[in-house]
Amino acid sequence: MSQGVEWALHTCLNLSWLDAPVPTGTLAAFYELPPAYLNKQLQALARAGILTSTSGPRGGFQLARTPAAISLLDIVAAIEGPEELFQCDQILRKGPGEHAGVDYRQSCAFAQAMRGADLAWRRELAGKTVADVRADVERGHPEAPANTRARIVELR
Amino acid sequence: MSQGVEWALHTCLNLSWLDAPVPTGTLAAFYELPPAYLNKQLQALARAGILTSTSGPRGGFQLARTPAAISLLDIVAAIEGPEELFQCDQILRKGPGEHAGVDYRQSCAFAQAMRGADLAWRRELAGKTVADVRADVERGHPEAPANTRARIVELR
DNA sequence: GTAGTTCTACTCGGATAGTATCTGTCCGAGTGCGCCCGG
DNA sequence: CCGGGCGCACTCGGACAGATACTATCCGAGTAGAACTAC
C-alpha cells in the first residue's frame, strides 16, 4: 500500500486543527517530507473533494468538509484509487466448462470470498472518521492541537 | 494485489480434486497461463507448506494437507508475504512533541485503525477454506470435479 | 489622501526523470523410470 | 527367465531480463497582495 496514504492521513488530521489554508511546503516541513511529492498526494485529495486548494499568496490546502464527514476510507480511496484489493481476471474463462458471457467476477466463488473480505476491510475504514481519530489523540495528548498550531505558524 | 494470487487459489482448488502430483506445465495449460511464472508461485506455496513438490518423471505438485486445513489467508500470505496492507513508517517521529523511543506502530491512532481494518480483512480470509469453496462450487456445478480430472489427464 | 494600475512573490498543477516491485523467461541440478546387458 | 546397472527424459528450483507502477523532482500558469503613481 502506497506510502502517501500515511502522509495524507496525518496531514488531514493536522489540517483539522487549523482553519486557514496551509501551503504544501509548510505541511511537508512538519514531517520532513519531500514537498513536491506531498503536493501530488494533496492534489489527489483535492480531486476527491476532501481538500480545497487556493492559489497565490496566503493560499494552500484546507479541509473541504467537517472532519466528522471524512472517513479513513475516503482518504485511502483518494490516494490508492477505488479498485478492490483483489482484482479478478476471470481465468476461469480459459478453463473447461466455460459458458461464454458469464461474468466470473460475480459467480466465481473465490471472487465472492475475496470481495467479502474487501468489504469487511472497507467497512472498518468507513466507520472511522478523522474526527474520531482527532478525539482519540486529544484524549491521550491534550497539548497536541496547540503544539501543531504553534509549529505550523513557526514553519510558515 | 498480485496476479499470482488468483492463479494460486484456482490451482489449489483443482489440486484438491486430484490425488497425484501434477506438473506445472499441466496446471498452467489448464488456464493458458505462462508455465514458468506459475511455477514461481507454486514454489512459494510449497515454501509455505501448502503444497509438496516432487521432482522427476511422474512428479509435480499436490496439496500438503487436507483442503479443510488450507484457508484463503494461507494462500494469500504465501504469495503476497506476511506484511500488513498498511505499513506505518512512523512519520510522527519527525513531528513535534515526539518522545524518542516510542513505537508509533503501536501508539499512533491511525496505525491502530488501519491495523483493525487489516485484521477484519484477515479474519474473513482465515474463515474460508479451500474445502468451503470446493463445496460451493460442487453445489452449483456438480460436474466440475469430473471435468477437471478429465481435462488434467487430457493435458498430461 | 485616495483610487487605479502595475509589479512581484507566492501557490498550485501537471509534465518529466529515477527506482523498486511485479511479471515473465531461461537454463541447470536432481530424480525416478525404462531399457539394456549379463548371468 | 531374472536381476543389476546404465542412460535418459522429465520435473523442480533458482538465476536472469522486461514492464509496470510507485517515488521523487522541476518548471510554468494563475492569483492575491503590496507598492507605486497619478489625480
Side-chain angles (χ1 to χ4, degrees):
Chain A
M1 168 154 290
S2 184
Q3 182 69 40
V5 171
E6 185 177 1
W7 304 0
L9 290 170
H10 285 284
T11 299
C12 284
L13 175 60
N14 286 342
L15 285 175
S16 81
W17 282 319
L18 302 163
D19 50 3
V22 183
T24 302
T26 304
L27 294 169
F30 199 90
Y31 294 121
E32 300 179 15
L33 303 174
Y37 190 33
L38 177 62
N39 186 23
K40 198 177 183 63
Q41 315 294 349
L42 299 181
Q43 284 177 35
L45 293 175
R47 272 193 296 271
I50 296 170
L51 302 183
T52 58
S53 65
T54 55
S55 289
R58 309 274 298 173
F61 291 91
Q62 57 186 330
L63 292 187
R65 10 183 178 119
T66 173
I70 302 174
S71 72
L72 301 196
L73 179 60
D74 293 333
I75 297 174
V76 171
I79 303 293
E80 290 285 305
E83 304 84 23
E84 302 182 12
L85 295 175
F86 174 81
Q87 291 281 19
C88 178
D89 279 10
Q90 307 190 60
I91 63 173
L92 288 179
R93 281 262 167 86
K94 302 291 189 177
E98 123 79 359
H99 301 70
V102 174
D103 185 356
Y104 288 103
R105 285 170 297 189
Q106 301 298 330
S107 58
C108 169
F110 283 119
Q112 289 173 11
M114 297 302 282
R115 184 191 313 262
D118 195 272
L119 287 174
W121 180 69
R122 294 181 127 78
R123 191 176 307 120
E124 287 288 318
L125 292 182
K128 198 98 175 177
T129 69
V130 173
D132 297 332
V133 173
R134 186 169 71 165
D136 292 347
V137 171
E138 291 180 354
R139 187 168 303 118
H141 301 277
E143 75 286 3
N147 280 358
T148 299
R149 278 190 280 261
R151 194 80 209 289
I152 288 288
V153 300
E154 176 188 343
L155 293 172
R156 264 211 77 83
Chain B
M1 168 152 289
S2 185
Q3 182 69 41
V5 172
E6 186 178 1
W7 303 1
L9 290 171
H10 285 284
T11 299
C12 284
L13 175 60
N14 285 342
L15 286 175
S16 82
W17 282 319
L18 303 162
D19 49 2
V22 183
T24 302
T26 304
L27 294 169
F30 199 90
Y31 294 122
E32 301 180 15
L33 302 174
Y37 191 34
L38 176 63
N39 186 23
K40 201 179 181 63
Q41 316 294 348
L42 299 182
Q43 285 177 34
L45 293 174
R47 272 193 296 272
I50 296 170
L51 301 183
T52 57
S53 65
T54 55
S55 289
R58 309 275 298 175
F61 291 93
Q62 56 186 332
L63 292 187
R65 8 183 179 120
T66 173
I70 302 174
S71 71
L72 301 196
L73 179 60
D74 294 332
I75 297 174
V76 171
I79 303 293
E80 290 285 306
E83 303 84 22
E84 302 183 12
L85 295 174
F86 175 81
Q87 291 281 20
C88 177
D89 280 10
Q90 307 190 61
I91 63 172
L92 288 178
R93 281 264 165 86
K94 301 292 188 176
E98 126 78 359
H99 301 71
V102 173
D103 185 356
Y104 287 102
R105 284 170 298 188
Q106 301 297 331
S107 58
C108 170
F110 283 120
Q112 289 173 13
M114 297 302 283
R115 182 190 313 263
D118 195 273
L119 287 174
W121 180 70
R122 293 181 128 78
R123 192 176 307 121
E124 287 289 317
L125 291 183
K128 198 99 175 175
T129 70
V130 173
D132 297 331
V133 173
R134 186 169 72 164
D136 292 347
V137 171
E138 290 179 355
R139 188 167 302 119
H141 301 276
E143 75 285 3
N147 279 358
T148 300
R149 277 189 281 261
R151 194 83 209 287
I152 287 288
V153 300
E154 176 188 343
L155 293 171
R156 263 212 77 83

